[in-house]
């Protein structure tokens, strides 16, 4: 199985901050990576697919990038509604596997 | 609007059985692969099982193989997970998710249902 190592596991930030979260794949996944946001008691919401494509309706402050087996989710200017857990998912091969999650908390 | 709503969770004793359901709406259910994923307490997300769009092909994680059965009813737009021989380590929040675009890209998820295996 492809292992997804996500960092950091948590971070504290303020509204307006730039936030960066990273996932590293244990092998090449050719950009088959998605990012999700999850709030307590809610369904995970897809933000980005194919490493850098923004899902319809997702604010443009969210962006994704890829460098080899390293993938980054960036929130350019953190908003109050962005405090949540974020996780990545690879879908290059079966089984789909997930990063451990990053909890973005208010500083 | 795509919606997935899980039901059927609860408390069950070790060795017991439970059937989870996931009702899909807002999309052509029979056109998509469907998955079950779980979040173990204090741990990350782990894929459990998947079924292709017409129900003729299924896959399972090794830790549930032989104990869990995934199925679907395309007429009633519902995904199922029959869980038997439950163990305490099966305690988790179970999510159903749609395989959109690529079969393993889980583009829409339900909000999850808690299964607790305890005596």
């Amino acid at each position: 199985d492809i292992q997804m190592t996500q960092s950091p596991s948590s971070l504290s930030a303020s509204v307006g901050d730039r936030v960066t979260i990273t996932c590293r794949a244990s092998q090449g996944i050719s950009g088959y990576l998605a990012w999700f946001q999850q709030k307590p008691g809610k369904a995970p919401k897809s933000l980005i697919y194919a490493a850098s494509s923004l899902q319809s309706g997702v604010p443009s402050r969210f962006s994704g990038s890829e460098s080899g087996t390293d993938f980054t989710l960036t929130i350019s200017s953190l908003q109050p509604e962005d405090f949540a857990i974020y996780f990545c998912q690879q879908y290059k091969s079966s089984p789909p596997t997930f990063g451990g999650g990053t909890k973005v908390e208010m500083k | 609007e795509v919606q997935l709503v899980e039901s059927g969770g609860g408390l069950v004793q070790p060795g017991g059985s439970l059937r989870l359901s996931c009702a899909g709406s807002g999309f052509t259910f029979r056109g998509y692969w469907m998955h079950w994923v779980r979040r173990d307490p204090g741990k990350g997300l782990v894929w459990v099982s998947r079924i292709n769009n017409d129900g003729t092909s299924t896959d399972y994680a090794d830790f549930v193989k032989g104990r869990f059965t995934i199925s679907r009813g395309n007429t009633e737009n519902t995904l199922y997970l029959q869980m038997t021989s439950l163990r305490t380590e099966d305690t988790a929040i179970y999510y159903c998710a749609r395989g959109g675009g690529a079969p393993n890209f889980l583009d829409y998820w339900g909000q999850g249902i808690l299964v607790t295996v305890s005596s």
Side-chain angles (χ1 to χ4, degrees):
Chain A
D1 298 1
I2 297 175
Q3 307 302 314
M4 302 301 299
T5 302
Q6 186 172 342
S7 62
S9 56
S10 66
L11 64 90
S12 297
S14 301
V15 172
D17 284 354
R18 182 182 182 90
V19 169
T20 299
I21 298 167
T22 298
C23 267
R24 173 169 291 173
S26 60
Q27 62 191 75
I29 57 172
S30 305
Y32 288 91
L33 182 109
W35 288 97
F36 296 84
Q37 177 194 68
Q38 187 175 21
K39 297 181 179 179
K42 301 295 187 182
K45 174 186 173 184
S46 175
L47 301 174
I48 286 170
Y49 64 98
S52 60
S53 297
L54 205 63
Q55 282 283 15
S56 176
V58 173
S60 59
R61 63 181 179 273
F62 291 93
S63 64
S65 64
E66 171 185 5
S67 177
T69 57
D70 290 342
F71 298 84
T72 300
L73 172 70
T74 300
I75 309 172
S76 60
S77 178
L78 196 66
Q79 298 301 300
E81 60 269 30
D82 299 337
F83 293 99
I85 292 173
Y86 295 85
F87 63 90
C88 62
Q89 183 229 322
Q90 69 80 20
Y91 53 99
K92 168 67 174 175
S93 65
S94 288
T97 51
F98 306 88
T102 297
K103 186 173 185 179
V104 177
E105 299 176 299
M106 193 176 300
K107 185 182 287 185
Chain B
E1 179 192 6
V2 173
Q3 283 198 315
L4 296 167
V5 180
E6 301 95 341
S7 61
L11 174 64
V12 61
Q13 293 188 335
S17 300
L18 209 57
R19 189 175 84 155
L20 303 183
S21 300
C22 169
S25 61
F27 66 105
T28 305
F29 187 81
R30 65 180 181 276
Y32 293 86
W33 293 49
M34 296 295 296
H35 298 251
W36 289 100
V37 175
R38 75 186 194 189
R39 184 186 294 276
D40 296 343
K43 298 182 182 178
L45 291 162
V46 180
W47 175 82
V48 173
S49 182
R50 71 174 185 180
I51 187 167
N52 70 343
N53 56 323
D54 64 6
T56 57
S57 176
T58 59
D59 291 302
Y60 299 91
D62 285 345
F63 56 84
V64 303
K65 206 169 286 185
R67 299 189 299 123
F68 290 12
T69 302
I70 191 172
S71 62
R72 64 191 297 159
N74 284 344
T75 301
E76 62 265 37
N77 296 336
T78 303
L79 175 72
Y80 302 100
L81 187 68
Q82 179 68 49
M83 304 185 293
T84 64
S85 301
L86 282 160
R87 307 166 179 168
T88 56
E89 55 265 36
D90 294 319
T91 294
I93 298 173
Y94 286 76
Y95 299 90
C96 66
R98 187 181 85 166
N104 283 332
F105 169 40
L106 308 185
D107 64 347
Y108 284 93
W109 297 55
Q111 66 181 38
I113 191 85
L114 178 62
V115 172
T116 303
V117 185
S118 174
S119 55

